[in-house]
Amino acid sequence: MFSGFLKPVSRCESCGEDLSFAAATEGPAVFIILIVGFVIVGAAATVEGLFHPPPFVHLLLWLPSTVILSLLLLRPLKATMVALQYHNRAGEGRLDG
């Protein structure tokens, strides 16, 4: 489905379906911010409540965790957005006048 890390191919290699409609939007990024923020803030608050580690331990735990979790979610959420665009026949906005 992707020719690079996030760039969708213009045609499906299996069935030949045209995928050029897939918009390069920031939709996946918004969902990633919400999901990762919820998970990391919840985990950090739990660790703080249970163990009271010094601030550098929080940095060592949560900065890499945030980056890794964000990168792991990018492709699946981008693929979901393309699938939703296909399912809903999304296209460029136009004014019918």
Side-chain angles (χ1 to χ4, degrees), residues 6 10 14 21 33 35 38 42 47 63 73 88 93 97:
L6 286 177
S10 58
S14 298
F21 63 86
I33 290 169
I35 293 167
F38 179 78
V47 168
L63 285 179
L73 288 175
N88 294 310

Side-chain angles (χ1 to χ4, degrees), residues 7 9 16 28 39 48 53 67-68 74 84-85 89 95-96:
K7 184 177 183 338
V9 294
V39 169
E48 179 63 33
V67 171
I68 291 168
L74 267 173
L84 287 171
Q85 289 174 356
R89 295 181 180 92
L95 296 173
D96 295 330

Side-chain angles (χ1 to χ4, degrees), residues 8-41:
V9 294
S10 58
R11 283 207 172 274
C12 177
E13 295 173 3
S14 298
C15 66
E17 181 71 35
D18 181 29
L19 297 174
S20 61
F21 63 86
T25 62
E26 289 80 27
V30 172
F31 291 113
I32 288 170
I33 290 169
L34 293 172
I35 293 167
V36 172
F38 179 78
V39 169
I40 297 298
V41 170

Side-chain angles (χ1 to χ4, degrees), residues 21-88:
F21 63 86
T25 62
E26 289 80 27
V30 172
F31 291 113
I32 288 170
I33 290 169
L34 293 172
I35 293 167
V36 172
F38 179 78
V39 169
I40 297 298
V41 170
T46 302
V47 168
E48 179 63 33
L50 294 174
F51 304 109
H52 303 293
F56 78 90
V57 173
H58 280 294
L59 288 174
L60 290 174
L61 286 173
W62 309 123
L63 285 179
S65 299
T66 302
V67 171
I68 291 168
L69 189 56
S70 297
L71 290 175
L72 287 174
L73 288 175
L74 267 173
R75 285 183 73 138
L77 287 177
K78 176 67 176 184
T80 301
M81 292 296 261
V82 171
L84 287 171
Q85 289 174 356
Y86 177 78
H87 177 74
N88 294 310

